[in-house]
Amino acid sequence: MNESTITRHNTLIDPALHIWGWEIPVYLFMGGLVAGIMIIAGYFTFKGQYKHNYFSSFYLPHVSLILLSGGMFALFLDLEYKIHVWRLYTTFQITSPMSWGAWILLFIYPALWLNSLVRIPQTFQGRIPLFDKLSVRINANPRAIKFIGVFNMLLGTLLGIYTGVLLSSFASRPLWNSSMLWMLFLVSGLSSAAAFVHLITTDKYERVLLAKADNSFLTLELFVFGGFITGMLTSTRVHVEAIMFILAGPYAPAFWVFVIGMGVVIPLFLQLLAVNKKIMHTPVAPIMVIAGGLILRFVIVYAGQVSHWTKLSVLK
Amino acid sequence: MARYGMVIDTTKCVGCMDCVVACKTENGTPEGFNRDWINYVVSGEFPTLNMEIRSERCNHCDNPPCVDSCPTGASHVHDVGKVVLVDDKLCIGCKACIAACPYDARYIHPEGYADKCTFCIHRVEQGLDPACVSVCPTRCMYFGDLDDPNSQVSKLLNSRKNHTLIPDAGTKPRVYYLT
């Protein structure tokens, strides 16, 4: 028998840690989604797809700016000392992933803005002369456009990795302490972004292209899930206990039904049928993928907070 | 430079919570929060049970993950005694330090910043013991420089069987428990 009776009852800490509510999963999801969109939009820009008016690269950077700002606002809402938020930019703490993220985000906005200047939407043309001038200059230099595409892909990858590293750096929370988490969040971000473009695009060619890409990302995601779970199950006792929270514990229904089932397996099946022209392309599969990506962040953030170097370890 | 640490004799501690009350009084800890607490740990199989009563707090680790995770430098290692402190003027309340601490020793102060045990550094700098140590009725708590081989804490650690909390986490805690 091992029994621990503790007199402490600090809010948000006891009986189990719950310092991060809905804001952080939403922030991580938005960050991952924007990371995926940046990679896809950057690739389209690099390949010159922006020349076609109907193509999604025409408006993806603008949508990303809105999504990223929404994610940042969610993060801001989570801060307990909001008026001190500017302190993030008075220092750079090399050991803190959150500090890295804050500074990476400073580069994300200009990258998205530059990509949006490659093609200014018709409704905004002529409204801000400086933007029009910059757009003309960028379009006069094809190498600059290719650079913007690569710059967006690179920063998108960094952003996607960051969303996972932020959690995996917390060694005290065994569920998060996995070297696979950054890859899981990056691939999940890519699949959510592909689903998002699949959902909003009006072009048939693009819809099929993104559905095929999403199928690849979802298949890869299943392998990454396998690696993540295997890594935890073959690690220390506390890591095994932590992964059991989502495999067979209180978070198992959400994980198996909404993340794996409705978020990966079923949409993959539907999109494989659609790509092979067995069924029509519908918004159902992409919506399931996006919802699955969001619920994944909720499950990982919530279950990770509960996971702990248990009292059994304390006794040793 | 000193490296302050604490040694607590669990064979003397009766769990009276004087240390908890002293801490709250000395530091004005807000209602509903504690910088230190008592943990009653029972282990073994009946009838060979063992109870260890521990006064717990921030472990002021030599390898503090809270300091590493802080994005603004608010959590830092103080020059005096290498005590881990929080500068409330720099803290943004992101709670990364709370997630990083395997001992759950931190909380968010109602004013918005992360708060925790300071080893009563304001008293220590005046040559006094931390409030919890000074009020202990069984004298089971000892405070001093772990790097000084002649300090009472060093002598106790050299002569008595002891352990730290969650050593596997790799944080190198500086609160020791004599058994």
Side-chain angles (χ1 to χ4, degrees), chain A residues 257 260-271 285 288:
Chain A
V257 176
I260 299 294
M262 292 175 68
V264 182
V265 176
I266 295 173
L268 176 61
F269 179 68
L270 290 176
Q271 285 184 164
M288 287 169 97

Side-chain angles (χ1 to χ4, degrees), chain A residues 18-267:
Chain A
H18 190 75
I19 47 170
W20 287 332
W22 63 268
E23 298 91 343
I24 296 300
V26 168
Y27 162 66
L28 294 176
F29 171 71
M30 293 289 210
L33 181 61
V34 169
I37 292 176
M38 284 183 81
I39 294 169
I40 292 169
Y43 174 74
F44 284 161
T45 301
F46 181 78
K47 296 293 282 182
Q49 302 286 15
Y50 60 90
K51 291 169 190 162
H52 309 290
N53 274 346
Y54 56 81
F55 230 78
S56 59
S57 62
F58 188 58
Y59 47 81
L60 278 180
H62 311 88
V63 173
S64 301
L65 283 169
I66 297 165
L67 289 172
L68 188 62
S69 299
M72 293 293 285
F73 185 65
L75 176 67
F76 176 73
L77 287 179
D78 177 71
L79 297 182
E80 301 288 344
Y81 218 150
K82 293 180 178 58
I83 56 169
H84 277 183
V85 65
W86 57 277
R87 290 286 189 188
L88 281 169
Y89 296 105
T90 58
T91 181
F92 173 62
Q93 298 291 322
I94 197 164
T95 57
S96 166
M98 205 176 273
S99 185
W100 277 89
W103 285 102
I104 287 172
L105 283 165
L106 271 195
F107 292 96
I108 298 282
Y109 275 101
L112 285 170
W113 182 66
L114 277 174
N115 205 8
S116 68
L117 285 180
V118 173
R119 286 299 301 268
I120 299 175
Q122 209 161 7
T123 45
F124 293 108
Q125 282 174 9
R127 297 210 174 175
I128 305 171
L130 178 66
F131 287 4
D132 291 319
K133 272 185 189 173
L134 282 170
S135 184
V136 170
R137 278 198 176 184
I138 288 169
N139 279 284
N141 189 349
R143 288 184 71 182
I145 293 176
K146 288 210 179 284
F147 171 77
I148 290 170
V150 172
F151 191 47
N152 271 266
M153 283 192 279
L154 183 69
L155 281 177
T157 308
L158 275 177
L159 179 62
I161 290 172
Y162 155 71
T163 60
V165 170
L166 177 67
L167 294 184
S168 63
S169 64
F170 293 118
S172 58
R173 309 291 151 196
L175 184 65
W176 295 342
N177 194 214
S178 164
S179 59
M180 295 293 284
L181 204 59
W182 68 266
M183 203 185 294
L184 180 61
F185 278 19
L186 178 63
V187 176
S188 168
L190 271 168
S191 73
S192 295
F196 181 74
V197 181
H198 180 193
L199 187 69
I200 63 172
T201 187
T202 51
D203 181 61
K204 193 180 171 186
Y205 163 75
E206 195 175 47
R207 192 180 299 139
V208 174
L209 178 73
L210 267 301
K212 284 179 179 171
D214 202 14
N215 287 346
S216 306
F217 294 140
L218 289 171
T219 307
L220 182 61
E221 198 175 340
L222 280 176
F223 281 103
V224 178
F225 266 120
F228 172 63
I229 292 167
T230 308
M232 297 292 275
L233 284 173
T234 53
S235 189
T236 66
R237 183 182 53 75
V238 289
H239 291 89
V240 174
E241 283 176 4
I243 196 69
M244 291 314 282
F245 273 127
I246 62 170
L247 293 185
Y251 295 94
F255 178 71
W256 290 115
V257 176
F258 295 113
V259 177
I260 299 294
M262 292 175 68
V264 182
V265 176
I266 295 173

Side-chain angles (χ1 to χ4, degrees), chain A residues 241-307:
Chain A
E241 283 176 4
I243 196 69
M244 291 314 282
F245 273 127
I246 62 170
L247 293 185
Y251 295 94
F255 178 71
W256 290 115
V257 176
F258 295 113
V259 177
I260 299 294
M262 292 175 68
V264 182
V265 176
I266 295 173
L268 176 61
F269 179 68
L270 290 176
Q271 285 184 164
L272 278 173
L273 290 176
V275 166
N276 290 301
K277 298 177 181 168
K278 305 282 184 197
I279 58 170
M280 295 263 291
H281 279 278
T282 64
V284 174
I287 287 173
M288 287 169 97
V289 172
I290 293 167
L294 178 62
I295 295 168
L296 168 69
R297 268 66 170 194
F298 270 94
V299 168
I300 295 290
V301 170
Y302 281 22
Q305 291 179 89
V306 179
S307 72

Side-chain angles (χ1 to χ4, degrees), chain A residues 1-14 17 19-21 24 78-82 84-88 90-99 169-173 176 308-311 313-316, chain B residues 17 32-34 37-45 49 54 56 67-73 88-96 98-108 111-113 163-169:
Chain A
M1 181 188 76
N2 291 295
E3 186 181 82
S4 176
T5 309
I6 197 164
T7 62
R8 187 189 64 202
H9 203 277
N10 289 346
T11 308
L12 304 178
I13 313 296
D14 299 305
L17 192 79
I19 47 170
W20 287 332
I24 296 300
D78 177 71
L79 297 182
E80 301 288 344
Y81 218 150
K82 293 180 178 58
H84 277 183
V85 65
W86 57 277
R87 290 286 189 188
L88 281 169
T90 58
T91 181
F92 173 62
Q93 298 291 322
I94 197 164
T95 57
S96 166
M98 205 176 273
S99 185
S169 64
F170 293 118
S172 58
R173 309 291 151 196
W176 295 342
H308 193 264
W309 287 77
T310 60
K311 304 302 174 203
S313 303
V314 176
L315 288 165
K316 284 184 176 173
Chain B
M17 303 228 294
F33 296 94
N34 285 100
W37 56 92
I38 301 294
N39 194 357
Y40 305 86
V41 182
V42 180
S43 57
E45 296 294 329
L49 292 167
R54 293 198 298 252
E56 296 182 356
V67 173
D68 290 343
S69 65
C70 180
T72 63
D88 61 346
K89 292 177 186 67
L90 293 178
C91 181
I92 59 172
C94 68
K95 295 166 280 193
I98 299 177
C101 176
Y103 308 103
D104 292 341
R106 290 172 171 237
Y107 61 88
I108 289 292
E111 287 178 19
Y113 57 86
H163 70 89
T164 55
L165 300 184
I166 323 179
D168 296 347

